[in-house]
PDB file of all heavy atoms in Angstrom:
ATOM      1  N   GLY W 330      76.133  88.063   5.927  1.00 69.00           N
ATOM      2  CA  GLY W 330      74.812  88.332   6.481  1.00 69.00           C
ATOM      3  C   GLY W 330      73.970  87.096   6.633  1.00 69.00           C
ATOM      4  O   GLY W 330      73.128  87.022   7.530  1.00 69.00           O
ATOM      5  N   PHE W 331      74.178  86.089   5.750  1.00 65.00           N
ATOM      6  CA  PHE W 331      73.368  84.866   5.909  1.00 65.00           C
ATOM      7  C   PHE W 331      74.201  83.598   6.070  1.00 65.00           C
ATOM      8  O   PHE W 331      73.668  82.554   6.417  1.00 65.00           O
ATOM      9  CB  PHE W 331      72.397  84.705   4.730  1.00 65.00           C
ATOM     10  CG  PHE W 331      73.042  84.318   3.429  1.00 65.00           C
ATOM     11  CD1 PHE W 331      73.131  82.996   3.052  1.00 65.00           C
ATOM     12  CD2 PHE W 331      73.543  85.281   2.580  1.00 65.00           C
ATOM     13  CE1 PHE W 331      73.716  82.642   1.856  1.00 65.00           C
ATOM     14  CE2 PHE W 331      74.109  84.937   1.370  1.00 65.00           C
ATOM     15  CZ  PHE W 331      74.200  83.611   1.011  1.00 65.00           C
ATOM     16  N   MET W 332      75.539  83.693   5.852  1.00 66.00           N
ATOM     17  CA  MET W 332      76.376  82.515   6.060  1.00 66.00           C
ATOM     18  C   MET W 332      77.191  82.603   7.336  1.00 66.00           C
ATOM     19  O   MET W 332      77.770  81.612   7.777  1.00 66.00           O
ATOM     20  CB  MET W 332      77.305  82.311   4.862  1.00 66.00           C
ATOM     21  CG  MET W 332      76.568  81.999   3.574  1.00 66.00           C
ATOM     22  SD  MET W 332      77.637  81.397   2.261  1.00 66.00           S
ATOM     23  CE  MET W 332      78.004  79.746   2.865  1.00 66.00           C
ATOM     24  N   GLY W 333      77.282  83.815   7.904  1.00 59.00           N
ATOM     25  CA  GLY W 333      77.954  83.961   9.187  1.00 59.00           C
ATOM     26  C   GLY W 333      79.406  83.545   9.125  1.00 59.00           C
ATOM     27  O   GLY W 333      80.121  83.783   8.158  1.00 59.00           O
ATOM     28  N   ASP W 334      79.863  82.866  10.171  1.00 52.00           N
ATOM     29  CA  ASP W 334      81.265  82.487  10.284  1.00 52.00           C
ATOM     30  C   ASP W 334      81.611  81.236   9.492  1.00 52.00           C
ATOM     31  O   ASP W 334      82.723  80.716   9.602  1.00 52.00           O
ATOM     32  CB  ASP W 334      81.630  82.246  11.760  1.00 52.00           C
ATOM     33  CG  ASP W 334      81.594  83.545  12.554  1.00 52.00           C
ATOM     34  OD1 ASP W 334      81.812  84.601  11.931  1.00 52.00           O
ATOM     35  OD2 ASP W 334      81.337  83.496  13.764  1.00 52.00           O
ATOM     36  N   LEU W 335      80.673  80.729   8.676  1.00 52.00           N
ATOM     37  CA  LEU W 335      80.996  79.580   7.835  1.00 52.00           C
ATOM     38  C   LEU W 335      82.020  79.954   6.769  1.00 52.00           C
ATOM     39  O   LEU W 335      82.827  79.129   6.342  1.00 52.00           O
ATOM     40  CB  LEU W 335      79.730  79.044   7.161  1.00 52.00           C
ATOM     41  CG  LEU W 335      78.729  78.378   8.080  1.00 52.00           C
ATOM     42  CD1 LEU W 335      77.511  77.941   7.276  1.00 52.00           C
ATOM     43  CD2 LEU W 335      79.329  77.183   8.789  1.00 52.00           C
ATOM     44  N   ILE W 336      81.976  81.200   6.284  1.00 48.00           N
ATOM     45  CA  ILE W 336      82.923  81.623   5.246  1.00 48.00           C
ATOM     46  C   ILE W 336      83.782  82.805   5.684  1.00 48.00           C
ATOM     47  O   ILE W 336      84.767  83.110   5.045  1.00 48.00           O
ATOM     48  CB  ILE W 336      82.180  82.022   3.951  1.00 48.00           C
ATOM     49  CG1 ILE W 336      81.251  83.208   4.213  1.00 48.00           C
ATOM     50  CG2 ILE W 336      81.420  80.871   3.389  1.00 48.00           C
ATOM     51  CD1 ILE W 336      80.727  83.829   2.941  1.00 48.00           C
ATOM     52  N   THR W 337      83.388  83.467   6.749  1.00 47.00           N
ATOM     53  CA  THR W 337      84.163  84.614   7.201  1.00 47.00           C
ATOM     54  C   THR W 337      84.429  84.505   8.682  1.00 47.00           C
ATOM     55  O   THR W 337      83.773  83.760   9.411  1.00 47.00           O
ATOM     56  CB  THR W 337      83.400  85.926   6.928  1.00 47.00           C
ATOM     57  OG1 THR W 337      82.149  85.880   7.616  1.00 47.00           O
ATOM     58  CG2 THR W 337      83.179  86.127   5.449  1.00 47.00           C
ATOM     59  N   HIS W 338      85.399  85.272   9.114  1.00 46.00           N
ATOM     60  CA  HIS W 338      85.712  85.299  10.546  1.00 46.00           C
ATOM     61  C   HIS W 338      86.034  86.730  10.944  1.00 46.00           C
ATOM     62  O   HIS W 338      86.771  87.424  10.257  1.00 46.00           O
ATOM     63  CB  HIS W 338      86.896  84.401  10.869  1.00 46.00           C
ATOM     64  CG  HIS W 338      87.291  84.443  12.326  1.00 46.00           C
ATOM     65  ND1 HIS W 338      86.548  83.854  13.311  1.00 46.00           N
ATOM     66  CD2 HIS W 338      88.338  85.056  12.928  1.00 46.00           C
ATOM     67  CE1 HIS W 338      87.140  84.070  14.492  1.00 46.00           C
ATOM     68  NE2 HIS W 338      88.212  84.803  14.281  1.00 46.00           N
ATOM     69  N   SER W 339      85.494  87.180  12.009  1.00 48.00           N
ATOM     70  CA  SER W 339      85.729  88.548  12.469  1.00 48.00           C
ATOM     71  C   SER W 339      86.356  88.527  13.843  1.00 48.00           C
ATOM     72  O   SER W 339      85.948  87.753  14.723  1.00 48.00           O
ATOM     73  CB  SER W 339      84.401  89.326  12.513  1.00 48.00           C
ATOM     74  OG  SER W 339      84.604  90.596  13.063  1.00 48.00           O
ATOM     75  N   ASP W 340      87.365  89.353  14.018  1.00 44.00           N
ATOM     76  CA  ASP W 340      88.013  89.438  15.319  1.00 44.00           C
ATOM     77  C   ASP W 340      87.137  90.188  16.319  1.00 44.00           C
ATOM     78  O   ASP W 340      87.256  90.015  17.524  1.00 44.00           O
ATOM     79  CB  ASP W 340      89.369  90.145  15.189  1.00 44.00           C
ATOM     80  CG  ASP W 340      90.352  89.326  14.348  1.00 44.00           C
ATOM     81  OD1 ASP W 340      90.238  88.090  14.379  1.00 44.00           O
ATOM     82  OD2 ASP W 340      91.216  89.927  13.678  1.00 44.00           O
ATOM     83  N   ASP W 341      86.277  91.078  15.809  1.00 52.00           N
ATOM     84  CA  ASP W 341      85.405  91.865  16.673  1.00 52.00           C
ATOM     85  C   ASP W 341      84.030  91.224  16.712  1.00 52.00           C
ATOM     86  O   ASP W 341      83.224  91.417  15.809  1.00 52.00           O
ATOM     87  CB  ASP W 341      85.314  93.305  16.150  1.00 52.00           C
ATOM     88  CG  ASP W 341      86.685  93.984  16.103  1.00 52.00           C
ATOM     89  OD1 ASP W 341      87.479  93.718  17.011  1.00 52.00           O
ATOM     90  OD2 ASP W 341      86.937  94.743  15.144  1.00 52.00           O
ATOM     91  N   GLU W 342      83.785  90.481  17.753  1.00 71.00           N
ATOM     92  CA  GLU W 342      82.495  89.826  17.880  1.00 71.00           C
ATOM     93  C   GLU W 342      81.446  90.844  18.315  1.00 71.00           C
ATOM     94  O   GLU W 342      81.675  91.664  19.207  1.00 71.00           O
ATOM     95  CB  GLU W 342      82.584  88.683  18.883  1.00 71.00           C
ATOM     96  CG  GLU W 342      83.475  87.539  18.426  1.00 71.00           C
ATOM     97  CD  GLU W 342      83.396  86.363  19.372  1.00 71.00           C
ATOM     98  OE1 GLU W 342      82.299  86.126  19.918  1.00 71.00           O
ATOM     99  OE2 GLU W 342      84.414  85.705  19.573  1.00 71.00           O
ATOM    100  N   LEU W 343      80.280  90.761  17.685  1.00 81.00           N
ATOM    101  CA  LEU W 343      79.204  91.686  18.012  1.00 81.00           C
ATOM    102  C   LEU W 343      78.476  91.279  19.284  1.00 81.00           C
ATOM    103  O   LEU W 343      77.944  92.126  19.996  1.00 81.00           O
ATOM    104  CB  LEU W 343      78.224  91.775  16.843  1.00 81.00           C
ATOM    105  CG  LEU W 343      78.779  92.349  15.538  1.00 81.00           C
ATOM    106  CD1 LEU W 343      77.720  92.311  14.451  1.00 81.00           C
ATOM    107  CD2 LEU W 343      79.285  93.767  15.736  1.00 81.00           C
TER     108      LEU W 343
END
Side-chain angles (χ1 to χ4, degrees):
F331 72 94
M332 295 193 73
D334 292 333
L335 291 178
I336 62 168
T337 59
H338 178 73
S339 175
D340 295 329
D341 300 323
E342 294 187 35
L343 296 177

